[in-house]
Amino acid sequence: MQSMRVQSCIVDSRAVHRALHGFTTRGGYPSRVTRLAAIMEPQTRTVEVTRREDVMKLYRQMETKAKAMIALDEMQVSTRPKVRITVRGKLGLGECWKVVGSCPELGRMQPVVAPQMSWSEGDVWVFECAIRPGSHLFKVVLRNHDGVYVWEEGPDRELTLAPELGPDSTLALEINPKMPW
């Protein structure tokens, strides 16, 4: 980054008003230019000017860190236990089930980014994912054909995965959601 010296002025707005309208404390009426010059205090300060090359360098550094974090997260995913959630039921054309929960793998309670369940024969909807150990709240949400989300009734469900569960462990849950109709 380059540094540049800039001279600026600190101006009191009340003093500017008095100077422009002829109000002075000394009783005289000097010209407006001298009145404004008298109330401005010159001040020199150093300002950093960012060049395009510096910005690109920062972007490259951020990208490198992000890639490292993604690689670390992918390594950790392979050591996490799997969760298999199943919902049985017939839905209309364009509708689907989503699993919305408090952990990142389940969309952080935001149905728009939550994972969609997959349909299989017999109107069975399945979601399978490796989830980090801990206690997570979740619900099953129906996405209508027009994009409206209908949350199941009742309190949030709790999913607790012990830290000692490994990648070979699979927790299977079959859910019968209570819908508002």
Side-chain angles (χ1 to χ4, degrees):
M1 290 200 202
Q2 293 180 334
S3 294
M4 216 166 91
R5 295 182 63 82
V6 177
Q7 186 161 355
S8 63
C9 297
I10 299 174
V11 180
D12 179 8
S13 61
R14 291 177 301 206
V16 170
H17 178 73
R18 286 191 307 266
L20 287 175
H21 296 290
F23 302 109
T24 63
T25 55
R26 298 190 179 105
Y29 292 98
S31 72
R32 289 187 179 171
V33 175
T34 50
R35 280 185 267 163
L36 285 176
I39 60 171
M40 293 184 182
E41 299 176 23
Q43 183 182 43
T44 304
R45 59 189 171 125
T46 303
V47 178
E48 290 188 11
V49 178
T50 308
R51 296 181 316 183
R52 181 173 173 75
E53 296 85 27
D54 294 332
V55 171
M56 295 309 293
K57 181 179 176 184
L58 288 173
Y59 278 136
R60 284 192 297 275
Q61 288 174 352
M62 288 180 7
E63 184 180 17
T64 302
K65 287 180 183 179
K67 285 180 180 178
M69 289 175 62
I70 290 169
L72 178 63
D73 194 45
E74 287 174 352
M75 286 179 2
Q76 291 175 349
V77 167
S78 64
T79 64
R80 294 179 185 163
K82 291 182 181 74
V83 174
R84 181 181 172 93
I85 299 174
T86 307
V87 175
R88 295 182 186 277
K90 189 170 185 167
L91 296 180
L93 184 64
E95 296 181 328
C96 68
W97 289 107
K98 287 188 153 207
V99 181
V100 183
S102 58
C103 62
E105 295 86 356
L106 301 179
R108 296 191 188 268
M109 298 306 275
Q110 297 178 13
V112 175
V113 295
Q116 181 174 317
M117 299 180 85
S118 301
W119 180 86
S120 60
E121 287 294 321
D123 292 323
V124 177
W125 293 82
V126 179
F127 169 73
E128 191 167 331
C129 178
I131 297 181
R132 61 192 73 214
S135 182
H136 309 290
L137 299 176
F138 77 98
K139 279 194 172 205
V140 177
V141 177
L142 175 67
R143 183 185 163 276
N144 286 337
H145 61 85
D146 56 357
V148 175
Y149 294 98
V150 182
W151 292 72
E152 70 173 311
E153 290 185 332
D156 293 345
R157 299 174 187 271
E158 188 168 356
L159 173 65
T160 304
L161 298 169
E164 56 270 2
L165 292 175
D168 299 329
S169 303
T170 301
L171 176 64
L173 301 170
E174 186 159 337
I175 296 176
N176 185 15
K178 296 177 186 172
M179 300 310 286
W181 51 82

